Amino acid sequence: MRTVKLSAFFLLCICLALLNGCDSELKDLRIQNDTQRKKIADLGSQAQTASLQIDQLNRQVADANEKSSINEDALKQQIDALEEDLQKKNELVASMQQKLLYGGAALPVELSTMLEDFAKQQPELVTFDENMGIVRFKSDLLFEKGSDIVTPEAVESVKSLCAILNSEQGKKFDIIIAGHTDDIPILKPDTKAKHPTNWHLSAHRAISVLDIMGANNIEQQRMSIRGFGENRPVAPNKPNKEGNPQNRRVEIYIVPEGV
């Protein structure tokens, strides 16, 4: 009897340790987000200072032109250097804001491994970005052209993902479902009546995935959707609005609870 009690006690200790580990990982992610926000604010301040310096140097160049000053070339070199630095800072800020918006951090190892295995089982439909915690579904296989109805095969795949997100490793994370299209315009009257623009289509597709996830026991308070239309391509579209299949996608971001 004493052995049974000790076993139960040790089992309880292990469970508490695992729970504390998950809480610690989520706390670490929130700390990372706070640090990220501070870095963004600092970079924004630096970018503003650089922009003011560029304006000041441009005025000096204008004065140098009027006075035929020999310092004109040197001033232009300073401006070029500052503009290059400003562009890099702006790109870094944009990248950091993107990561902050969606969590943008690697997931716990157990959850990441489960998602990686999930993607490997259906590489034609799904990819997994372990650095950003993003599951990407290819829209051409997720939906019929111009439709927001998920194909039966893809429904089964989303169900499998829900099982992972409802596991002990996954259920403490929230989910952002983001729809994207390419730049092929919506022209068919029937399609246009349901989805007036690519923006509408991307949002409606995200909602369709949300509905399936909700029907498979993902709690509503864990989920939100985004619709970006053609505005966030991951690869160049073909000329004359011919689109690109890489840009037609639904991304599922797995982020810390409450982020």
Side-chain angles (χ1 to χ4, degrees), residues 148-206:
D148 65 344
I149 299 173
V150 181
T151 62
E153 297 82 0
V155 168
E156 294 306 312
S157 182
V158 175
K159 286 181 180 179
S160 298
L161 176 61
C162 290
I164 295 172
L165 297 176
N166 272 331
S167 67
E168 286 299 317
Q169 294 85 357
K171 65 183 181 181
K172 287 195 173 184
F173 288 83
D174 287 347
I175 301 147
I176 299 170
I177 306 161
H180 300 264
T181 70
D182 59 16
D183 67 345
I184 296 176
I186 295 175
L187 299 175
K188 289 184 178 179
D190 289 347
T191 304
K192 205 170 183 65
K194 296 177 182 177
H195 320 292
T197 67
N198 278 327
W199 212 332
H200 290 81
L201 179 60
S202 66
H204 294 164
R205 285 179 166 180

Side-chain angles (χ1 to χ4, degrees), residues 79-98:
I79 290 172
D80 290 342
L82 279 169
E83 286 180 338
E84 182 180 355
D85 183 58
L86 179 60
Q87 182 180 353
K88 289 179 180 178
K89 282 186 170 63
N90 286 335
E91 289 173 353
L92 182 56
V93 167
S95 173
M96 292 175 75
Q97 285 175 333
Q98 174 81 354

Side-chain angles (χ1 to χ4, degrees), residues 62-78:
D63 291 341
N65 283 332
E66 290 178 4
K67 299 174 183 177
S68 299
S69 171
I70 59 173
N71 291 327
E72 182 181 347
D73 288 341
L75 290 170
K76 286 183 176 179
Q77 288 177 3
Q78 290 184 53

